[in-house]
Amino acid sequence: QPASSNKPRKKKKKRKTKKTSAGDTVEDNDLEDIDSLLERLEDPNGLSPQSQGGLIADSRPLLYVEHRNLNPENELKRYFGARAVLGDQRPRQRQRQYVRSTWLTAPKNTWPRYSKTGIAMRLLDTRRGVQHFTFEHHREYQQVQFKFLDAVESMDPNNIVLLLQMNPYHVDSLLQLSDVCRMQEDQEMARDLIERALYSLECAFHPVFSLTSGTCRLDYRRPENRAFFLTLFKHLMFLEKRGCPRTALEFCKLILSLDPENDPLCVLLLIDFLSLRARDYTFLTRLFQEWESHRNLSQLPNFAFSVPLAYFFLSQQEERPELERSQAREQAARLIQLALIMFPSVLMPLLDHCSVQPDARVASHPFFGLNAQISQSPALNQLTSLYVGRTHALWKDPAVMAWLEPQTHEVLRMVEAQDPLVQEAEHKRKIRYQSAPRNIYRHVILSEMKEATAALPLEVTSQPVMGFDPLPPLDSIVSYTRPERTSHPSNESTLSLFFRSLLPNFNLQGDIRHDGDDEAGAGQDLNQGVNRLMAAMRDMLANIQFQEPPRDDNPDGDGDWD
């Protein structure tokens, strides 16, 4: 009897547990172990990234994107546990109808049923191991796009809502309506619309388009590709606000890998902040080391200040060897001094945002004083304002301020000793930063940082900016154009609009384009005919008499009109 009872128990135990390559026991019925299995699939050594230190980061391409880091639920589970994040979703997920598996976002039951939208992706060419793709709009999608542009011109969001009811996965409509919801403080709906747009675009991917390899490119000059860049950017902004900086950083790397040379949304101004928020200091320092020689990252205020801050945080990690920590301290001190010399205008606004009062020597010194802010160009003012407004919370740590103070005094000593570095930095500031490129303006608009938006030049603020395509490139590659529409004056009367509904070419003001004598004569005859018609209408309206309705004081009346 005992022997027979032991046998099935052994089988059950075998079925329940598995041995992995690293020798760890993994339970099938534990949801959290899906992540650990994925880690072991990605890492042949069976070691976690933390146990390998910086080796795993160096063996992969710089902009390598990990699939599991694109899912915010994985990050939230690490913070709060699977049970707190998923709740009672697990049993219901088994009964859900089959939907297409996607990496960027998971489709929801509340979304409309997905069907082919008319977007496709095509492989243009492959050069030196890099594949160039483009999105394409089929004819039916182009027609929806024209209707969308009409809805935008109407300035009525309800028209976009009506369009989405008929075409629930039209990407530009989802982007534009998301902006409307965000302005009306409906963050949940705004985020949901962006996720739906992301799902629509991912369903159109080419079979060989890879999110993770870092070797697939999209040209922002093509209008069809811009929606993907913008949707990814807006999605990562929602992720960062939701408290998922690690996932947001992965999306940021993805955007940068799509066009690292031109960086059309200038995510280089954001990637340092997300790295610090996600505490991925090794990635930030590696990006700086590999790209500084050909991209001059130190000439951007955000990299000039964030990289030494990352080295400082690395020097504070007690689990690292003492030699690594001392090297990180030296690097942090050297780079923060260079940053303060190159961008002295950052210090006082940064301390002000952190509610820190500098000592008398720093506060009274002209090098860091008000003149530093006034003398810098508007383009540099945008970059410094953007950085201070975005990252000041990371500098509030008392340990950071205690480290910054002696470095600031060392810089003042160099200034008073007339160090050549100080004059060289001043010369660079005068020559560079004359005007910001268009992608920086685009980034400032999308980021919606009040400090930086206020510093935008008049030529940017004076033109209309659309959420579905802010500041389009001046050298766009257009594959199809919208049919021409006759331009109508905006100050038309109701009567004029009424006649246009009857006669589409009618123009009350007589602004008919004179492309030739015949057309001019035809236009004049039309206007004369309409004027006669209007005169007849006036006479008719003047002769119309309305019968008075029965009065309330007439008890005999039955209340009906004749």
Side-chain angles (χ1 to χ4, degrees):
Q1 184 67 29
S4 63
S5 64
N6 280 343
K7 219 170 189 181
R9 200 176 298 144
K10 265 188 180 176
K11 277 185 182 174
K12 193 174 183 182
K13 196 172 183 181
K14 246 181 198 172
R15 200 162 50 241
K16 194 177 177 184
T17 59
K18 288 182 183 176
K19 287 278 184 178
T20 61
S21 58
D24 298 332
T25 302
V26 179
E27 292 187 6
D28 283 348
N29 61 352
D30 192 351
L31 194 74
E32 287 158 314
D33 284 336
I34 293 172
D35 294 339
S36 59
L37 284 169
L38 282 171
E39 284 179 23
R40 287 171 177 77
L41 283 171
E42 288 175 1
D43 179 14
N45 300 322
L47 298 170
S48 65
Q50 288 83 4
S51 64
Q52 285 182 307
L55 294 176
I56 192 165
D58 294 335
S59 64
R60 290 174 174 171
L62 179 65
L63 297 178
Y64 176 83
V65 175
E66 293 188 52
H67 273 142
R68 63 192 173 90
N69 286 337
L70 292 172
N71 186 353
E73 283 190 357
N74 290 338
E75 184 172 6
L76 292 171
K77 279 190 286 184
R78 282 197 289 273
Y79 297 147
F80 307 110
R83 197 170 297 280
V85 175
L86 296 177
D88 58 348
Q89 288 180 27
R90 277 175 279 181
R92 275 186 286 176
Q93 277 184 341
R94 289 175 189 151
Q95 298 164 6
R96 222 171 89 179
Q97 60 177 352
Y98 174 76
V99 288
R100 180 171 177 166
S101 176
T102 49
W103 288 109
L104 296 177
T105 185
K108 299 178 182 175
N109 290 328
T110 54
W111 290 356
R113 187 178 182 84
Y114 179 80
S115 59
K116 292 286 184 183
T117 58
I119 305 180
M121 185 185 268
R122 180 166 61 93
L123 175 63
L124 293 175
D125 60 0
T126 304
R127 298 193 294 269
R128 291 176 294 188
V130 175
Q131 296 168 312
H132 296 260
F133 293 87
T134 183
F135 282 99
E136 288 183 326
H137 293 170
H138 295 162
R139 188 170 185 82
E140 62 271 20
Y141 194 90
Q142 293 178 18
Q143 298 303 318
V144 179
Q145 189 73 7
F146 299 149
K147 289 177 186 175
F148 164 72
L149 294 173
D150 292 343
V152 170
E153 286 180 0
S154 73
M155 305 295 285
D156 185 358
N158 293 319
N159 292 335
I160 301 176
V161 173
L162 290 171
L163 185 65
L164 270 176
Q165 287 175 350
M166 301 296 294
N167 309 275
Y169 287 93
H170 181 253
V171 178
D172 284 353
S173 296
L174 292 165
L175 283 173
Q176 193 70 24
L177 195 60
S178 174
D179 282 353
V180 174
C181 292
R182 202 162 36 79
M183 289 172 190
Q184 294 175 350
E185 303 297 325
D186 190 351
Q187 300 292 333
E188 193 64 34
M189 177 57 75
R191 192 177 78 197
D192 189 75
L193 292 168
I194 291 296
E195 289 179 6
R196 206 201 296 179
L198 209 52
Y199 179 72
S200 175
L201 288 163
E202 188 173 2
C203 288
F205 280 177
H206 192 278
V208 297
F209 182 80
S210 169
L211 291 169
T212 57
S213 66
T215 58
C216 295
R217 302 283 184 266
L218 287 173
D219 193 342
Y220 193 81
R221 293 176 300 168
R222 295 180 181 271
E224 297 91 337
N225 294 338
R226 290 174 204 161
F228 189 51
F229 283 89
L230 295 166
T231 309
L232 288 172
F233 189 92
K234 294 185 180 193
H235 185 59
L236 81 83
M237 295 299 282
F238 279 119
L239 288 169
E240 194 274 322
K241 288 174 185 170
R242 192 182 170 190
C244 300
R246 171 71 249 185
T247 313
L249 174 62
E250 216 66 20
F251 274 92
C252 196
K253 287 197 282 187
L254 174 57
I255 296 172
L256 190 57
S257 73
L258 293 174
D259 193 352
E261 293 302 317
N262 300 308
D263 191 11
L265 301 187
C266 212
V267 292
L268 279 176
L269 297 178
L270 175 67
I271 201 165
D272 62 300
F273 168 66
L274 294 174
S275 302
L276 292 171
R277 280 281 324 270
R279 300 182 181 180
D280 194 350
Y281 311 124
T282 310
F283 168 74
L284 180 56
T285 53
R286 184 187 169 200
L287 176 66
F288 183 74
Q289 289 164 6
E290 292 189 15
W291 283 25
E292 167 62 13
S293 58
H294 67 284
R295 296 294 286 268
N296 283 331
L297 296 182
S298 59
Q299 299 307 298
L300 292 171
N302 59 310
F303 272 95
F305 281 87
S306 288
V307 172
L309 186 60
Y311 275 117
F312 170 74
F313 285 135
L314 286 172
S315 72
Q316 300 295 102
Q317 294 179 346
E318 294 180 359
E319 66 272 13
R320 289 186 174 273
E322 182 55 40
L323 179 63
E324 275 187 34
R325 292 175 63 189
S326 64
Q327 287 174 346
R329 271 194 296 273
E330 289 171 14
Q331 280 282 76
R334 183 178 68 84
L335 290 172
I336 194 64
Q337 289 171 19
L338 290 173
L340 289 167
I341 290 170
M342 187 67 204
F343 305 107
S345 62
V346 171
L347 181 66
M348 299 309 280
L350 186 61
L351 295 177
D352 186 45
H353 274 74
C354 295
S355 305
V356 172
Q357 183 64 38
D359 59 29
R361 186 186 175 208
V362 174
S364 61
H365 202 285
F367 186 72
F368 292 120
L370 191 62
N371 188 50
Q373 277 94 30
I374 296 171
S375 61
Q376 69 182 359
S377 67
L380 183 55
N381 187 33
Q382 278 161 20
L383 294 175
T384 55
S385 301
L386 187 70
Y387 180 71
V388 171
R390 179 175 276 154
T391 55
H392 63 87
L394 299 170
W395 292 81
K396 284 186 176 179
D397 188 346
V400 173
M401 283 298 164
W403 160 73
L404 183 62
E405 186 178 5
Q407 310 304 331
T408 308
H409 285 290
E410 178 61 25
V411 168
L412 287 181
R413 187 195 63 75
M414 294 168 72
V415 170
E416 287 162 1
Q418 296 185 346
D419 193 292
L421 278 174
V422 180
Q423 277 81 31
E424 186 185 337
E426 188 178 354
H427 180 64
K428 283 180 182 175
R429 281 198 304 276
K430 285 180 180 175
I431 292 176
R432 298 170 183 176
Y433 316 109
Q434 295 300 319
S435 64
R438 201 169 176 85
N439 61 339
I440 289 182
Y441 292 147
R442 205 176 287 130
H443 178 90
V444 170
I445 289 167
L446 289 169
S447 300
E448 296 181 345
M449 295 292 301
K450 291 177 185 175
E451 295 87 350
T453 310
L456 284 171
L458 188 63
E459 64 264 20
V460 175
T461 54
S462 59
Q463 57 181 296
V465 177
M466 295 300 176
F468 67 94
D469 190 8
L471 296 183
L474 301 175
D475 55 347
S476 295
I477 302 173
V478 179
S479 57
Y480 67 93
T481 54
R482 184 182 177 191
E484 281 193 26
R485 304 174 69 213
T486 51
S487 57
H488 306 311
S490 58
N491 56 344
E492 289 181 290
S493 65
T494 309
L495 194 61
S496 173
L497 291 170
F498 166 69
F499 280 123
R500 177 159 297 118
S501 68
L502 301 174
L503 306 166
N505 295 322
F506 164 70
N507 195 344
L508 185 63
Q509 283 79 3
D511 295 332
I512 293 175
R513 284 184 290 180
H514 301 293
D515 297 330
D517 294 337
D518 296 339
E519 282 138 342
Q524 197 172 359
D525 290 343
L526 176 64
N527 264 354
Q528 288 174 359
V530 169
N531 287 335
R532 284 195 296 272
L533 177 61
M534 284 178 64
M537 287 278 287
R538 273 196 295 268
D539 292 340
M540 184 179 71
L541 289 170
N543 294 324
I544 289 177
Q545 293 182 354
F546 296 101
Q547 187 172 353
E548 289 188 9
R551 295 182 182 178
D552 293 338
D553 55 356
N554 182 7
D556 301 327
D558 57 359
D560 293 334
W561 290 17
D562 292 335

